[in-house]
Amino acid sequence: MFCPMSFDLVLFGGTGDLAWRKLMPALFQAFRHGSLPAGGRIIGVARDDLSDAQYRALIQSRFKAVEGAKRPSAEEFEKFADLLHYLRMDLSKPADYERLAQTLQQRDADTVVMYLATAPSLFTQTVERIAAAGLGGPKTRVVLEKPLGHDLASNRAINAAVGRVLKEEQVFRIDHYLGKPSVQNLFAMRFGNALFEPLWRREYIASIEITIAEDLGVEKRGAFYDQTGALRDMVQNHALQLLCAVAMEPPINAHADALRDEKLKVLRSLKPWTHESIGMHAVRGQYTAGTAYGERVQGYLQEPGIDPASRTETFVALRAEIANWRWAGVPFYIRTGKRLASRDARIEVNFKPTPHAIFRAPAGASANKLVINLQPKDGLELHLLAQAQNSRKRSGDGTQPLATVQLDLDFGQRFGTERVGAYERLLLDVIDGRLNLFVRSDEQEEAWRWVEPLIEAWQNDSGPRPYAAGTWGPSASSAMIARDGLAWSEEQ
Ligand code: BG6
């Protein structure tokens, strides 16, 4: 790894949604923490006709939406703004890349990061033009936002085009879930401690549940979302990366390819879909009007930018299986959706009960489970059974019934709230050239291969099932897991 003294970060889509919601706040935090190399420029690129001063004012106005301590003071913003520059570009025009080349030559920074926060349909053309303008040399790193393509063929086409002009180690395919502190801690828990490894297998684990629930609707991204849907937006990438993190074998070391090789093996071991398993183990839904934050909210079809006859799913629940020695027969339930009952992302590892019960345990819930909380809380919970010392109840045989108690590790409390956020960590990793938390092309293709039968089947079925905003999705999702004699965690 090489730590640069100076960098230019070119942000294609510099006035877009991602830039101001995630990237600018993350860059500001990195700047505030002194983590950005001193000699740096952030060059916003978009089609609008803006001067540097106007771009700085635009970014400053957007920071007003940032809450609490993360919002910069006027003084702090002024210092940060020195890094911000703007270049108007039409990404289809080669001449505009020549102007970008001139801008970059003024500085000749150690590292040039090209962050493509644009529509994926522009990736191939942009990367090809970057290379044609002589900007694809070894000090260039290109960041590609998800979703990369809309199916396996388009993903392969993008990866092939990128591969013709850049080396794989120059390509940073971002999945910001891998940058979340709790995902780092999942790796640390699994591979830094020997405690769980002997239990981390089919003999001791009954099932694993991965939930990424959002309470927000599609907000201002209707047009994008309607073309994308929850399967492509969340399952193909974030949910499958979480599944890999929880199911992968211990890598031989912490280097990028060692990690990525093991994740790839998990994706390759996912049991392929069949006509029958899609019918039984895949549910999709679309939200209708309901409530969020105690207020009435409209349904998906009434949101701005949505085709009123849209069949796009805003909810997906799946039952997956990993066909290898460690996991054969263990169901992995994956669930994600918009406008669900709360913002809640977690992985629950449900352990099997004792082989022979001498105590009375509470009915329903798995006796022992490990919960990896991703958000809004960030930490680990270990659920155990204990004797309720204050209970005077006795069973017929004189023993006290057991109650569930939990060991609760809250990383926010333990390490403070000033921890490095996902995008901040990942942006710093790109600048430093660390690929560990980025997705390799073969991983991505394998994930597309696995979801593709669902995409095809859903084109011709009766459409997504409705669920009211503010609930946990369509009843078919509960019915799917109930067929295994189980219930989603909030139903237990
Ligand atoms: C993005 C999706 O990748 O992740 C969005 O495109 C989603 O639709 C977002 O809202 C969720 O990220 P987070 O970090 O807020 O859980």
Side-chain angles (χ1 to χ4, degrees):
M1 194 188 68
F2 148 82
C3 292
M5 298 303 289
S6 61
F7 70 94
D8 274 334
L9 191 156
V10 184
L11 186 50
F12 295 91
T15 55
D17 180 69
L18 186 76
W20 78 267
R21 258 187 331 114
K22 302 275 192 190
L23 302 178
M24 281 298 169
L27 286 164
F28 172 69
Q29 286 304 319
F31 171 77
R32 182 188 253 176
H33 295 146
S35 322
L36 286 179
R41 286 189 301 183
I42 299 165
I43 306 169
V45 166
R47 291 173 75 111
D48 316 62
D49 197 2
L50 298 176
S51 64
D52 284 358
Q54 284 168 323
Y55 186 58
R56 288 169 187 161
L58 179 74
I59 299 299
Q60 185 169 26
S61 71
R62 287 176 168 180
F63 266 111
K64 295 208 173 97
V66 174
E67 281 166 18
K70 293 205 164 152
R71 187 193 301 177
S73 66
E75 212 171 88
E76 276 179 318
F77 186 80
E78 208 174 301
K79 289 191 190 134
F80 176 64
D82 284 345
L83 269 64
L84 298 178
H85 300 264
Y86 183 78
L87 187 70
R88 184 171 64 80
M89 279 180 73
D90 175 340
L91 296 186
S92 66
K93 290 203 178 130
D96 285 10
Y97 293 81
E98 299 300 332
R99 286 198 297 113
L100 173 61
Q102 284 159 17
T103 307
L104 295 175
Q105 271 155 20
Q106 290 161 7
R107 171 67 68 102
D108 194 24
D110 293 343
T111 290
V112 178
V113 176
M114 308 273 191
Y115 199 120
L116 272 60
T118 61
S121 55
L122 297 174
F123 287 173
T124 304
Q125 167 194 293
T126 309
V127 170
E128 283 169 351
R129 303 236 149 112
I130 286 171
L135 296 175
K139 65 182 185 177
T140 295
R141 292 171 191 153
V142 174
V143 187
L144 300 173
E145 259 296 334
K146 56 150 276 283
L148 214 63
H150 57 273
D151 57 11
L152 179 60
S154 55
N155 176 260
R156 277 193 172 149
I158 297 173
N159 279 333
V162 169
R164 277 192 289 276
V165 292
L166 297 169
K167 298 212 171 77
E168 179 64 27
E169 63 265 25
Q170 292 178 277
V171 187
F172 290 69
R173 294 177 195 79
I174 203 161
D175 184 313
H176 77 279
Y177 267 62
L178 288 178
K180 288 194 185 273
S182 37
V183 177
Q184 310 300 304
N185 265 316
L186 172 58
F187 287 126
M189 183 203 76
R190 287 200 57 204
F191 307 130
N193 299 280
L195 187 63
F196 287 106
E197 172 52 26
L199 305 178
W200 213 254
R201 57 193 66 250
R202 61 192 297 274
E203 289 82 358
Y204 300 101
I205 291 179
S207 67
I208 294 188
E209 179 183 320
I210 298 173
T211 295
I212 312 177
E214 296 184 83
D215 51 4
L216 292 176
V218 291
E219 307 298 296
K220 293 182 185 140
R221 297 160 75 225
F224 158 81
Y225 195 87
D226 209 29
Q227 299 299 314
T228 311
L231 187 71
R232 293 180 173 100
D233 189 41
M234 300 295 287
V235 176
Q236 187 273 341
N237 31 73
H238 302 324
L240 286 185
Q241 285 293 327
L242 294 183
L243 178 129
C244 287
V246 83
M248 67 197 266
E249 294 298 316
I252 53 164
N253 57 40
H255 295 158
D257 277 333
L259 288 166
R260 299 181 325 170
D261 287 347
E262 296 305 338
K263 287 194 287 157
L264 178 65
K265 271 168 37 191
V266 174
L267 294 166
R268 286 198 174 139
S269 316
L270 279 167
K271 232 184 189 173
W273 292 103
T274 60
H275 181 69
E276 287 69 38
S277 66
I278 292 177
M280 297 267 290
H281 298 146
V283 173
R284 67 182 176 140
Q286 188 185 73
Y287 65 84
T288 57
T291 37
Y293 318 111
E295 283 180 16
R296 196 84 195 134
V297 290
Q298 59 194 358
Y300 178 71
L301 297 180
Q302 289 78 49
E303 300 272 22
I306 306 299
D307 171 358
S310 172
R311 288 162 47 91
T312 300
E313 77 285 351
T314 60
F315 174 92
V316 174
L318 304 174
R319 179 194 191 278
E321 269 188 57
I322 298 174
N324 66 16
W325 276 45
R326 190 186 282 268
W327 295 116
V330 178
F332 283 74
Y333 302 101
I334 298 174
R335 180 175 57 153
T336 184
K338 297 227 180 256
R339 279 279 188 247
L340 296 183
S342 58
R343 178 168 187 257
D344 185 1
R346 71 198 124 84
I347 303 171
E348 302 211 347
V349 180
N350 294 305
F351 290 92
K352 290 187 172 169
T354 52
H356 170 66
I358 62 165
F359 295 110
R360 208 152 40 89
S366 154
N368 296 134
K369 72 177 165 184
L370 180 70
V371 183
I372 298 124
N373 284 309
L374 275 76
Q375 60 199 25
K377 207 171 123 179
D378 161 18
L380 293 175
E381 285 166 25
L382 182 60
H383 295 223
L384 302 166
L385 290 182
Q387 294 237 325
Q389 304 286 313
N390 53 2
S391 165
R392 288 184 169 71
K393 274 194 234 144
R394 286 272 191 278
S395 305
D397 61 4
T399 59
Q400 274 186 328
L402 301 186
T404 306
V405 289
Q406 64 194 60
L407 294 171
D408 196 345
L409 177 58
D410 180 331
F411 290 129
Q413 271 181 5
R414 180 66 187 79
F415 298 117
T417 46
E418 272 297 297
R419 281 164 311 139
V420 186
Y423 268 100
E424 183 183 350
R425 174 183 299 274
L426 295 173
L427 281 161
L428 292 171
D429 280 357
V430 181
I431 293 171
D432 288 347
R434 265 189 297 264
L435 276 157
N436 302 38
L437 300 177
F438 295 84
V439 182
R440 210 168 51 193
S441 62
D442 47 4
E443 279 181 80
Q444 222 173 33
E445 287 185 18
E446 213 52 59
W448 276 115
R449 192 194 316 281
W450 188 68
V451 299
E452 196 147 78
L454 297 171
I455 298 177
E456 280 164 16
W458 289 350
Q459 268 162 13
N460 304 311
D461 71 355
S462 52
R465 295 162 191 267
Y467 63 95
T471 64
W472 281 100
S475 56
S477 152
S478 304
M480 178 188 86
I481 191 166
R483 258 180 249 128
D484 291 345
L486 300 172
W488 294 109
S489 46
E490 77 282 351
E491 295 169 343
Q492 290 166 3

